[in-house]
Amino acid sequence: MFINPTDQRLFFPTEQGSIYCLDRATGEQIWRRDIGGPIETPLQFDGSQLFFGTTATDGPGTVLALNAVDGTPRWESALPTLTKSAPVLFGDSVIVRDQSGDVLAFDQETGDQQWDRTFETHSLGWSFQGPLVKNERVYTYGVDTTASQDNRLIALEATDGTTAWQREISAPVSMLASSPDHLFSVHRESLHAVAPRDGTIRWRRKLTGQSNVLSVNGAVYVTNANSVTVYDTEDGREVNQFKLDGLLQGYVPRGRGEESFVGRQRPVPGGLLGMTEEAIYALGGGQGGQDSLGLAGGFGVAGLCLYALHRWRDR
């Protein structure tokens, strides 16, 4: 369950194929819409419409738009394969990455396809992260079969999907993040800081185990099984580390705001749940410490804790 909040409403989908809209203050149901297929992507909200993808088991996936006021359907467009990745909004486009690695852009108002790029991707399991869109470019990863069979980090122009640059890499990418001057990618057990303009690699750091990444205000937060390590964005030096009792994975928010909610849901890729001005939040097992809030049973997992990690700032 991924809950998208607005000032007055909460929107959330279910794996059974329904989307609910609740009054944020009272919890009263305002509307419910049954889609007819599983919904396992986060929702995107542009102020008037909700955008999301489906993972139908009997055919290709779809991307849909609903009227946020009453839940009436606006449009539905087919995808080449299934998707569990969050759609991304840019200008008048909804940009989606499907399971095969293809990236497609649709018109927000009509659902007409604007462009698509076909890539192959090595299997990394399901990813809830959609393509990363920043400074009018779409950053993704895969194998561009028109060039070679190598793993690549890829930058596309968001307006038409043409290639801005490609960077050959040694292993499949599992997660992307960005700061104003850097693009960060996790390749198995390494973290790369890349120049968004041309793909030049600025620095690398060796990681331990499968990791996920979030960049906030001059720092890069990287998770593994039981810790969160903080690196400086400019030079990659380690500036802090938080040891946890056993970090569970959680959704990394990619919306326009900084407020994030999580509900009953099996663990999914991400590791860090959300952020405020003062803290980064992560889910972990065990009893926790004085910097954690015990939530045992609150999310349906025994011994689950919500950790509030102090945000590092360059002083």
Side-chain angles (χ1 to χ4, degrees):
M1 179 191 298
F2 302 101
I3 303 179
N4 191 313
T6 69
D7 289 342
Q8 298 179 337
R9 295 185 175 191
L10 298 175
F11 302 99
F12 64 91
T14 70
E15 291 186 12
Q16 289 69 43
S18 298
I19 290 184
Y20 290 82
C21 173
L22 306 181
D23 184 281
R24 181 167 176 166
T26 66
E28 179 183 356
Q29 180 177 309
I30 298 174
W31 54 259
R32 168 184 166 177
R33 175 64 56 180
D34 295 323
I35 304 302
I39 305 167
E40 297 186 79
T41 72
L43 303 176
Q44 281 285 18
F45 177 60
D46 71 349
S48 62
Q49 296 184 100
L50 294 169
F51 304 95
F52 57 96
T54 65
T55 57
T57 56
D58 57 350
T62 57
V63 57
L64 300 92
L66 298 184
N67 187 317
V69 175
D70 57 12
T72 54
R74 295 291 302 272
W75 53 261
E76 179 176 348
S77 297
L79 298 172
T81 59
L82 316 181
T83 183
K84 292 190 179 184
S85 298
V88 179
L89 305 183
F90 170 79
D92 64 351
S93 302
V94 183
I95 301 175
V96 181
R97 186 177 190 270
D98 72 2
Q99 181 190 13
S100 68
D102 293 355
V103 180
L104 305 94
F106 301 90
D107 185 275
Q108 288 188 23
E109 291 299 319
T110 67
D112 294 337
Q113 184 174 302
Q114 297 171 327
W115 55 262
D116 74 279
R117 290 295 308 275
T118 299
F119 302 104
E120 292 182 4
T121 184
H122 294 295
S123 177
L124 294 170
W126 284 109
S127 173
F128 285 79
Q129 182 187 17
L132 182 62
V133 180
K134 189 174 182 63
N135 297 331
E136 300 190 355
R137 284 185 173 172
V138 180
Y139 299 98
T140 186
Y141 44 89
V143 177
D144 187 347
T145 56
T146 64
S148 71
Q149 292 293 328
D150 297 317
N151 295 292
R152 289 176 180 264
L153 184 62
I154 302 163
L156 308 174
E157 301 295 347
T159 53
D160 58 11
T162 56
T163 300
W165 54 259
Q166 298 189 41
R167 168 66 59 180
E168 232 176 82
I169 55 178
S170 59
V173 174
S174 60
M175 185 64 65
L176 295 174
S178 69
S179 69
D181 301 316
H182 297 77
L183 175 69
F184 303 100
S185 61
V186 174
H187 312 166
R188 286 190 180 147
E189 296 185 355
S190 65
L191 171 67
H192 289 193
V194 177
R197 182 180 61 84
D198 59 9
T200 301
I201 296 177
R202 291 176 170 167
W203 52 261
R204 298 180 178 90
R205 288 295 175 268
K206 182 71 174 175
L207 304 176
T208 303
Q210 182 179 0
S211 301
N212 297 293
V213 60
L214 176 65
S215 174
V216 186
N217 285 5
V220 186
Y221 294 77
V222 178
T223 68
N224 63 20
N226 60 4
S227 68
V228 179
T229 305
V230 188
Y231 300 92
D232 184 274
T233 58
E234 292 301 319
D235 56 17
R237 61 189 170 90
E238 184 177 322
V239 296
N240 209 340
Q241 187 175 78
F242 303 93
K243 289 289 187 181
L244 306 180
D245 293 329
L247 185 69
L248 296 178
Q249 297 185 79
Y251 169 56
V252 174
R254 299 291 181 189
R256 291 174 170 169
E258 288 198 339
E259 190 168 9
S260 177
F261 290 73
V262 66
R264 189 184 301 271
Q265 168 77 20
R266 64 178 179 270
V268 298
L272 300 167
L273 294 178
M275 67 203 89
T276 66
E277 283 300 315
E278 297 301 326
I280 301 285
Y281 297 95
L283 287 175
Q287 299 302 312
Q290 57 184 226
D291 287 332
S292 65
L293 303 174
L295 294 178
F299 292 81
V301 181
L304 187 63
C305 293
L306 174 65
Y307 292 85
L309 312 176
H310 295 294
R311 275 171 57 162
W312 176 83
R313 290 179 173 85
D314 191 2
R315 301 182 188 275

